Amino acid sequence: SLPKHLHTLAQQDQAEALCQAMIATLARLGFAPPGAIPITASAGVTPIGPSLDETIKRAELALFAARAKGRNRLECASQTTERPFSRAA
């Protein structure tokens, strides 16, 4: 069994990879009909803890940062900082 901090990092890496794949798939598929605004996605990812409220706050901050930087973005936040960092999707 992995130590808790490594397990959490592995889960975050999996969440980041899943979000990146979903964003890339939406961008590639281009659901919008000709002349319509295309569907895009942005996501925020953060480790769980220490509380649900703090987890949601960090995830929301990461999502807002992704949306502010443009379409089809993933931003990740750590438990130690409220400043998200970018991951190109």
Side-chain angles (χ1 to χ4, degrees), residues 5-59:
H5 70 282
L6 291 179
H7 189 260
T8 300
L9 290 174
Q11 289 175 332
Q12 183 167 345
D13 286 345
Q14 291 170 347
E16 291 173 25
L18 176 62
C19 287
Q20 288 174 336
M22 290 171 38
I23 291 168
T25 299
L26 283 173
R28 187 177 62 252
L29 292 177
F31 286 111
I37 298 172
I39 294 174
T40 61
S42 297
V45 174
T46 190
I48 296 172
S51 73
L52 179 59
D53 287 339
E54 290 176 34
T55 301
I56 291 171
K57 180 181 177 183
R58 284 192 316 274

